[in-house]
Amino acid sequence: MSRRDPAVASATLDRPSDERVELDVSGMTCGACAARVERVLGKQPGVSDALVNLATGRVLVEVAAGAPGGERLAEVVRQAGFEAVLRADEIAERDQALQERERDQARHENDLLRRLAVAAPLAVATIVLTYAAPHDPTSQWIVAALYVPVQFWCGLPFLRSAWSRLRERTTNMDTLVALGTLGTFVYSTVILLTADATYEHGVPVGELSTARLNYDMGAFVIAALLFTRWCRSEE
């Protein structure tokens, strides 16, 4: 804070006949810098007082009605060798950035909800069909068809994140999800395409034909993680 008595300055700034202008000033390193800012502002027409807070870089200026505006005062400070912006402009920029983040968050939440709305029923159908008729060829193909949109559309955020980390030669939790679900897809698809459909007395025989497809596990994982992330985004 400059050497001026804050109580006196505050009382002066509270006079209703004047207007306040707030500036954010950077580049002040000592009390002499603060005094210089106060001095150059005090010389401007219509300025009755200026209070500099060296610690925060904020400057509160009292100007008479109709005096030069805040942008002019900021320019005067810049001409004195410091960086200065109107506090009101900064607040507006922050508000705009905050609103943009809120819009991005809302879009993210809606995207998660749409993907969850597709993944959840498909995952349930996949699990039911897998356990109801694990060795029925028609049921297996239906399960595979149901899993494709779950893996490649509902699970797309995990795949994108994993790919981004791979390009940066790093990993995260989405890398494990992508590897696990893609591994499930590849394994189950190989089983589906190469399984021996030979049956004896109604029981499938052959090593591949007796293996159960795991599409249901991948669908459950993707749906559960989408639900978890959607819940977190709502907090």
Side-chain angles (χ1 to χ4, degrees), residues 93-108:
E93 291 176 359
R94 290 178 181 175
D95 289 343
Q96 183 177 0
L98 179 60
Q99 292 174 1
E100 183 62 29
R101 286 196 297 269
E102 290 176 348
R103 287 193 291 268
D104 290 341
Q105 180 67 18
R107 286 193 292 266
H108 178 64

Side-chain angles (χ1 to χ4, degrees), residues 25 37 46 51 94 99 168 179:
V25 179
V37 171
L51 179 64
R94 290 178 181 175
Q99 292 174 1
E168 297 173 1
L179 287 175

Side-chain angles (χ1 to χ4, degrees), residues 10-235:
S10 177
T12 304
L13 291 173
D14 284 335
R15 290 187 304 185
S17 60
D18 297 321
E19 298 176 354
R20 293 179 177 180
V21 174
E22 290 188 55
L23 303 175
D24 274 335
V25 179
S26 59
M28 297 185 297
T29 58
C30 62
C33 295
R36 175 172 172 76
V37 171
E38 286 187 346
R39 187 166 56 254
V40 296
L41 288 173
K43 292 180 179 180
Q44 300 307 304
V47 174
S48 58
D49 205 352
L51 179 64
V52 177
N53 189 318
L54 180 61
T56 62
R58 294 184 61 180
V59 180
L60 189 60
V61 186
E62 185 187 50
V63 297
E71 185 56 45
R72 170 57 184 165
L73 297 178
E75 180 61 27
V76 168
V77 175
R78 287 193 286 268
Q79 291 175 357
F82 305 96
E83 293 296 327
V85 294
L86 278 173
R87 182 72 177 174
D89 289 347
E90 183 179 359
I91 292 175
E93 291 176 359
R94 290 178 181 175
D95 289 343
Q96 183 177 0
L98 179 60
Q99 292 174 1
E100 183 62 29
R101 286 196 297 269
E102 290 176 348
R103 287 193 291 268
D104 290 341
Q105 180 67 18
R107 286 193 292 266
H108 178 64
E109 292 175 2
N110 292 334
D111 181 68
L112 286 176
L113 186 58
R114 286 194 298 270
R115 295 180 192 276
L116 176 60
V118 174
L122 292 183
V124 171
T126 299
I127 293 171
V128 170
L129 287 175
T130 297
Y131 284 91
H135 302 296
D136 179 63
T138 301
S139 178
Q140 290 178 339
W141 281 102
I142 292 175
V143 167
L146 293 176
Y147 183 69
V148 170
V150 176
Q151 174 68 73
F152 295 104
W153 187 75
C154 301
L156 187 58
F158 307 113
L159 300 179
R160 283 175 175 169
S161 177
W163 174 248
S164 176
R165 294 299 183 274
L166 178 62
R167 290 189 300 177
E168 297 173 1
R169 298 183 180 181
T170 61
T171 59
N172 63 358
M173 208 50 203
D174 290 336
T175 305
L176 297 178
V177 176
L179 287 175
T181 57
L182 283 175
T184 295
F185 174 76
V186 172
Y187 167 79
S188 298
T189 301
V190 169
I191 295 298
L192 179 65
L193 296 176
T194 60
D196 186 357
T198 303
Y199 286 76
E200 290 184 1
H201 307 293
V203 179
V205 297
E207 181 179 355
L208 291 178
S209 65
T210 57
R212 188 178 69 83
L213 303 183
N214 289 327
Y215 290 120
D216 58 309
M217 295 302 299
F220 173 78
V221 168
I222 291 174
L225 289 177
L226 285 173
F227 177 72
T228 300
R229 293 196 175 182
W230 178 72
C231 289
R232 287 181 179 177
S233 68
E234 288 291 307
E235 293 179 354

